[in-house]
Amino acid sequence: MDEFDVVVVGAGVVGLAVARALALAGREVVVLEAADAIGTGASSRNSEVVHAGLYYPTGSAKARLCVAGRRQLYAYCAARGVPHRVCGKLVVATEPGQLHALRALVELARANGVEGLDWCTAEQVRPLEPEVRCVAALHSATTGIVDSHGLMRALREDAEAHGASVLLQSPVLGGRGCRGGLEVDVGGAEPVQLRARHLVNCAGLGAPGLAAAIEGPAQHLAPRGHRNKGCYFALAGPSPFRRLVYPLHDGAWLGVHVVLDLAGQVRFGPDAEWLPPDAPDDYDVDPARAPAFAAAVRRYWPGLPDGALVPAFAGIRAKITGPGEPAADFAILGPAQHGQPGLVHLLGIESPGLTAALAIGDEVVRLAGA
C-alpha cells in the first residue's frame, strides 16, 4: 500500500491553495481530483470577485479569512503575474427605507477591518457610475476581480515546484482511521488504497458526503450537504459600468449584481435556486429566467435595454445549511473538533472561498501541525 504524508482531496482553488501551503511548509503532498482537469466545479463557475469582507459576522471564519485572504491574494497575483484588477464596487440602496441597513453594513465592514470604505450620496455616485440609480451607496475600493483559472494554474505550479503531485480522475470514495493516520479508498480506472498521515477534505460540493464516508469519530459531525444553484446572464452590448454594482444584500444571498470580467464583458447574477436533494447537478440556464433578472437589474439600472440579457452560465454553491436556515460559517474542522487524528474537513466553503483560499491554506497548515 502506497503511503503519503498528506492527501488533499479536491483540486479546486481551495484544494490547490492548501496543497501549495503544505508543500511550501515542507510536507509531501498528493492531490486527488475526481475530474479530468483542475477546477471544474465551483472554482470555475462563479463571479471571480475578490471580496473585501463586507458581509460576514464579525469574528467569523468567513470575515477573518476573507480579509486576510484578500490581502494575500492581491500580493500573490501581483508577484505571480495572475491577471486581476482592483476595480472597486458600489453597494447601492435604491429606496430610502434601505438606508438604515446600508449604514449597518458600513459599520459591520469596519468592525471586520475592511479598509477603503466610503459613503456616497446619489450625487456622488453619479460621476462614478452615471447609469446607476440609487439614493446612497457604499463604495468599497478594495473589491476586485481575478482570473480564477490563471490563479489555479499558478497555485498548481507552485505546489508541484515544491514536490506536490496532482492526480486527476482519482475520486476518493471513503476511508477509515488507522494507526498513524488514515486509509484512503480511491476509485477510478484502477481502484487503489492509500495510507496517509493526514487527509484534508477539500472536495467542495462532495465534502459533506466524503466526511460521512470516512469511518471514525469524525463521522458524527458530518453535516448534510445542500446545493444552491446560481445562474448568470450576459449583457449583449458594451458595458456601461466601470465597477461592480451590488444591490443591498438579502440575508445569505448577495442579490443579482453587476459582474465584470477582465475582458470588459458584463454579466448579471447569480440568482438563487435550491436543487432537490436527489437531483443531478444542473448547470443549464433557462432563458425564461431573463424577465426576473431584468426586473432585479432595473432597480439600480433603469436603462437596461429590452432583450439585452443572454444566458451565460450557472454555478452551484456548496451549502451546509438548507432553505430557511441561517447561512453557515466556514466549517474548518481538525482533530480538536472531531477527535480523528490526521483528518481535516473543509465544509461549506462557498463564497468568499476563492478570496480566502490562501488564508485557508495557512489555516490548514496550522491544523496539520506543519
Side-chain angles (χ1 to χ4, degrees):
M1 183 184 299
D2 290 334
E3 297 190 8
F4 297 92
D5 183 11
V6 185
V7 169
V8 175
V9 183
V13 66
V14 172
L16 293 169
V18 166
R20 170 186 176 272
L22 288 163
L24 287 171
R27 308 300 288 264
E28 177 200 30
V29 181
V30 60
V31 181
L32 301 180
E33 167 58 47
D36 60 2
I38 66 171
T40 61
S43 296
S44 60
R45 292 177 170 273
N46 61 76
S47 299
E48 295 187 305
V49 171
V50 181
H51 288 282
L54 308 180
Y55 302 103
Y56 319 110
T58 301
S60 66
K62 284 184 176 180
R64 177 173 56 84
L65 296 171
C66 181
V67 172
R70 183 244 307 160
R71 295 167 181 162
Q72 290 176 264
L73 183 57
Y74 281 143
Y76 180 75
C77 289
R80 292 288 277 109
V82 176
H84 68 289
R85 179 156 59 95
V86 188
C87 57
K89 136 174 150 177
L90 292 172
V91 181
V92 298
T94 56
E95 305 294 340
Q98 295 180 324
L99 290 175
H100 177 75
L102 186 64
R103 291 190 183 99
L105 180 62
V106 175
E107 294 307 310
L108 175 62
R110 287 176 176 157
N112 288 345
V114 179
E115 65 275 27
L117 303 174
D118 290 296
W119 179 275
C120 297
T121 64
E123 292 73 23
Q124 291 170 321
V125 167
R126 199 164 294 118
L128 299 177
E129 294 292 347
E131 294 290 325
V132 171
R133 183 191 70 82
C134 65
V135 296
L138 167 61
H139 180 224
S140 170
T142 60
T143 300
I145 53 178
V146 64
D147 174 2
S148 61
H149 297 276
L151 173 61
M152 288 187 284
R153 286 193 297 270
L155 293 170
R156 178 180 183 174
E157 289 169 3
D158 284 353
E160 291 180 334
H162 288 81
S165 300
V166 178
L167 303 182
L168 305 174
Q169 297 180 301
S170 301
V172 175
L173 307 178
R176 65 209 55 81
C178 65
R179 185 173 182 176
L182 298 103
E183 292 177 350
V184 184
D185 301 325
V186 185
E190 297 182 6
V192 297
Q193 194 173 80
L194 310 176
R195 189 186 298 271
R197 287 183 58 213
H198 298 272
L199 175 69
V200 186
N201 175 10
C202 302
L205 288 169
L210 178 58
I214 296 175
E215 302 167 21
Q219 274 183 305
H220 75 282
L221 287 180
R224 178 182 175 187
H226 302 269
R227 296 168 301 151
N228 188 276
K229 179 180 176 180
C231 294
Y232 294 82
F233 280 77
L235 177 66
S239 171
F241 306 106
R242 291 172 289 183
R243 295 164 185 80
L244 309 177
V245 181
Y246 280 55
L248 195 61
H249 73 291
D250 178 16
W253 174 48
L254 299 185
V256 173
H257 52 263
V258 173
V259 180
L260 304 177
D261 67 19
L262 291 164
Q265 184 182 20
V266 177
R267 294 186 296 273
F268 299 97
D271 61 357
E273 174 192 5
W274 292 100
L275 297 178
D278 298 326
D281 291 343
D282 172 18
Y283 293 104
D284 291 336
V285 179
D286 184 355
R289 302 179 83 87
F293 269 72
V297 171
R298 287 192 174 113
R299 293 190 184 106
Y300 54 83
W301 182 31
L304 172 67
D306 290 338
L309 297 181
V310 180
F313 67 92
I316 299 177
R317 306 169 180 92
K319 297 279 191 179
I320 53 174
T321 51
E325 297 177 325
D329 197 5
F330 291 159
I332 302 177
L333 308 177
Q337 288 74 42
H338 55 60
Q340 175 65 60
L343 180 62
V344 178
H345 288 309
L346 304 186
L347 306 170
I349 310 296
E350 52 172 329
S351 180
L354 186 154
T355 303
L358 292 171
I360 292 173
D362 292 341
E363 190 97 337
V364 172
V365 168
R366 288 190 288 272
L367 290 174

